[in-house]
Amino acid sequence: MTTPTRVLVLNSGSSSVKYQLLDMRDASRLAVGLVERIGESSSRVAHTPLEGGGAERRERTAPIADHAAALKAVAEELARDGLGLDSPELAAIGHRVVHGGLRFTEPTVVTEEVLAEIERLVPVAPLHNPANLTGIRTAQALRPDLPQVAVFDTAFHTTMPEAASRYAIDVETADAHRIRRYGFHGTSHAYVSRATAELLGRDPSEVNVIVLHLGNGASASAVSGGRCVETSMGLTPLEGLVMGTRSGDIDPAVIFHLQRVAGMSADEIDTLLNKRSGLVGLCGDNDMREIHRRIGEGDPAARLAFDIYVHRLKKYIGAYYAVLGRVDAVAFTAGVGENAAPVRAAAVAGLEELGLAVDAGLNAERSEGARLISPGYARVAVAVVPTDEEREIARQTFALAGGEVNA
Ligand SMILES: Nc1ncnc2c1ncn2[C@@H]1O[C@H](COP(=O)(O)OP(=O)(O)O)[C@@H](O)[C@H]1O
Ligand SMILES: CC(=O)OP(=O)(O)O
Ligand SMILES: [Mg+2]
């Protein structure tokens, strides 16, 4: 029998599951897909078979009640292309797990004890860890013989110095409740900071990079010589930048004020800040494409939402510049970072004195891979670097499952 070389990666979010099936002999993708709007009446399943598959992209809407049903839909889609989970070519299943606390600094083979620890962290990642757990348990039930590997969003940030990772609150209280800054999107920050060094033709150990991961959730990180020294998310993925539906930084007293004066409960405020704030709270839309369109029509609420988003981003670029002392590159990634040229231009506008500038022509271009968008004279490279959390999770999963990774 040949050695299995395929890895299935599951990235379970609060209301979606993204997946990729890869062949780790060359890290090529055999299929990619997405189940979104889980729990709504019109969930969408989009499945694209790739290399050698020969089959067409398929899309359908159907009510998918929960993550377990979503995983079943994923298994069915793969099976239709002869890529089912029963395949003997599958070597392992890799899972993105958002919160790993302080304990998980490396990819980890899932055991009952690991599951219990991920469960214990649910209160600090309520939108994410429950979905991750369901993904793992469902995959285990389908393939109990395979290693299930958890790759943690928090792992890359465990190198942050205490000056960055501690909050300035009473130490005993903080320690008793493990309150500190953990940071998230670490797989993406690690991958993109390395890819940026590669784009510059330099070793990651030599370069300082500010990574701006701007998806639905958004975070910034300062990476020095390949190690994370600061990041914008904290105890939970709520701190930092303005996001699609999350507020990012606010004065914590806003919460007490809402409790005491507006009579809101802790759960109501949690929902307000996580789901009804950010871009959606400011203008009713969390999709940057829609915001661009409305700005084009002269819509003042969309304009203000954009300005607040970019203002916060610029503050973080300045802050991380100061933290790093010397910056070699600023890298934009994820849905907004990779696609929204106006966000990139506005975030860097006026920072010429810091050596930062964007070339309008390069910024407006559309292309697949990593690319520079700064003019030749700029001291600091500004780059668009597509992230690929799934491929990175596959690489780490396969390595842990004993495979030789060539790509
Ligand atoms: N062409 C585009 N122009 C501007 N923004 C875009 C474009 N495509 C995607 N986006 C933004 O990217 C977001 C999704 O980013 P993504 O990284 O896929 O998020 P997540 O992984 O958190 O679901 C969308 O909500 C939208 O705001
Ligand atoms: C941690 C986090 O915010 O993840 P996402 O962007 O997938 O919501
Ligand atoms: Mg994402």
Side-chain angles (χ1 to χ4, degrees), residues 299-314:
D299 183 323
R303 176 81 243 172
L304 183 59
F306 178 90
D307 288 347
I308 295 170
Y309 185 96
V310 167
H311 178 76
R312 184 82 52 83
L313 197 52
K314 186 176 282 189

Side-chain angles (χ1 to χ4, degrees), residues 18 214-217 286-289 292 334-336 339-340 366:
K18 292 181 181 172
L214 312 176
N216 229 325
N286 66 336
D287 194 308
M288 194 55 82
R289 284 165 286 204
H292 290 331
V336 174
N339 296 298
R366 300 205 145 262

Side-chain angles (χ1 to χ4, degrees), residues 11 18 96 153 185 188 213-217 334-335 387 389-390:
N11 179 347
K18 292 181 181 172
R96 174 184 180 214
D153 259 41
H185 295 136
S188 177
H213 174 109
L214 312 176
N216 229 325
T387 192
E389 288 163 292
E390 285 81 12

Side-chain angles (χ1 to χ4, degrees), residues 41-310:
S41 54
S42 64
S43 316
R44 190 171 74 99
V45 184
H47 175 87
T48 310
L50 297 164
E51 277 124 270
E56 296 278 304
R57 176 187 159 85
R58 297 190 291 274
E59 222 183 288
R60 63 188 166 93
T61 48
I64 291 182
D66 52 27
H67 281 78
L71 265 287
K72 296 234 161 62
V74 171
E76 279 163 23
E77 290 297 334
L78 288 166
R80 277 180 66 181
D81 296 325
L83 301 169
L85 261 75
D86 54 356
S87 164
E89 291 180 81
L90 207 54
I93 302 180
H95 301 265
R96 174 184 180 214
V97 177
V98 163
H99 214 314
L102 274 187
R103 169 150 161 222
F104 299 112
T105 58
E106 300 287 339
T108 304
V109 174
V110 173
T111 61
E112 276 308 309
E113 200 246 324
V114 170
L115 284 173
E117 183 65 11
I118 297 170
E119 179 98 56
R120 197 185 61 75
L121 292 161
V122 163
V124 280
L127 300 183
H128 296 95
N129 272 29
N132 305 153
L133 280 168
T134 307
I136 296 173
R137 291 209 172 101
T138 310
Q140 274 181 328
L142 292 169
R143 282 301 297 269
D145 58 314
L146 286 187
Q148 309 281 334
V149 174
V151 178
F152 297 91
D153 259 41
T154 40
F156 182 59
H157 304 300
T158 52
T159 53
M160 272 196 288
E162 278 201 295
S165 65
R166 278 205 177 260
Y167 291 109
I169 62 174
D170 173 69
V171 171
E172 273 179 37
T173 308
D175 287 351
H177 299 283
R178 299 188 175 91
I179 293 169
R180 47 163 272 154
R181 308 187 59 253
Y182 293 92
F184 301 89
H185 295 136
T187 304
S188 177
H189 287 286
Y191 175 87
V192 170
S193 57
R194 258 193 286 118
T196 305
E198 211 168 283
L199 180 68
L200 301 182
R202 300 182 54 190
D203 195 86
S205 67
E206 296 173 351
V207 297
N208 288 350
V209 186
I210 296 174
V211 179
L212 304 168
H213 174 109
L214 312 176
N216 229 325
S219 65
S221 70
V223 182
S224 178
R227 289 163 67 86
C228 177
V229 295
E230 175 63 287
T231 195
S232 60
M233 284 178 165
L235 173 71
T236 78
L238 183 55
E239 192 179 340
L241 300 175
V242 176
M243 312 183 208
T245 66
R246 294 172 232 164
S247 62
D249 298 335
I250 54 164
D251 180 344
V254 169
I255 297 163
F256 320 135
H257 189 79
L258 288 172
Q259 270 178 330
R260 292 175 189 141
V261 178
M264 291 174 74
S265 70
D267 284 345
E268 284 168 344
I269 300 168
D270 194 327
T271 304
L272 172 78
L273 297 179
N274 273 297
K275 298 194 171 163
R276 293 197 286 122
S277 296
L279 294 172
V280 88
L282 289 166
C283 74
D285 271 308
N286 66 336
D287 194 308
M288 194 55 82
R289 284 165 286 204
E290 199 49 27
I291 291 172
H292 290 331
R293 193 190 60 72
R294 286 173 55 188
I295 291 172
E297 291 175 348
D299 183 323
R303 176 81 243 172
L304 183 59
F306 178 90
D307 288 347
I308 295 170
Y309 185 96
V310 167

